[in-house]
Amino acid sequence: MQENVPVSDVTRHVLVLPDRDAADEVAGELPARFPVTEEPQLVRDALAGEDDAEDAQWLVVVEDPDHRLDPAALNELAEEYEGWLEAP
């Protein structure tokens, strides 16, 4: 029987990427390089006041309820695609 985990105990990593293509590639790389248990979510993050898709960053959101993912390694992956790991 699986116990319910309080929301505060769930770790969520957010990788910020410059465009949709980079976010798609990072989301595809994650399962090959890290022990992710859920599919990463892609989220468009438009800059304040901007409607143009070219002015949007893309976020790759990765749930890590077991705290198994190394933030430094996630940041290195994001940096390979000109992005970064958002600080918690």
Side-chain angles (χ1 to χ4, degrees), residues 17-20 44-47 50-58:
L17 287 304
D19 56 43
R20 174 71 188 247
R44 182 178 179 267
D45 184 32
L47 299 176
E50 299 293 336
D51 293 327
D52 189 349
E54 292 182 25
D55 292 325
Q57 296 173 328
W58 282 81

Side-chain angles (χ1 to χ4, degrees), residues 6-88:
V7 173
S8 62
D9 288 345
V10 175
T11 300
R12 177 176 293 143
H13 302 282
V14 178
L15 291 81
V16 182
L17 287 304
D19 56 43
R20 174 71 188 247
D21 290 339
D24 281 335
E25 289 186 40
V26 167
E29 283 282 320
L30 279 164
R33 294 171 64 169
F34 298 94
V36 294
T37 57
E38 296 181 24
E39 185 174 335
Q41 300 173 12
L42 297 179
V43 179
R44 182 178 179 267
D45 184 32
L47 299 176
E50 299 293 336
D51 293 327
D52 189 349
E54 292 182 25
D55 292 325
Q57 296 173 328
W58 282 81
L59 309 178
V60 177
V61 180
V62 184
E63 300 294 335
D64 184 18
D66 298 325
H67 305 279
R68 297 179 359 172
L69 303 179
D70 177 13
L74 289 170
N75 189 58
E76 287 177 17
L77 173 61
E79 286 178 346
E80 290 175 24
Y81 293 89
E82 300 180 12
W84 66 89
L85 177 66
E86 190 69 23

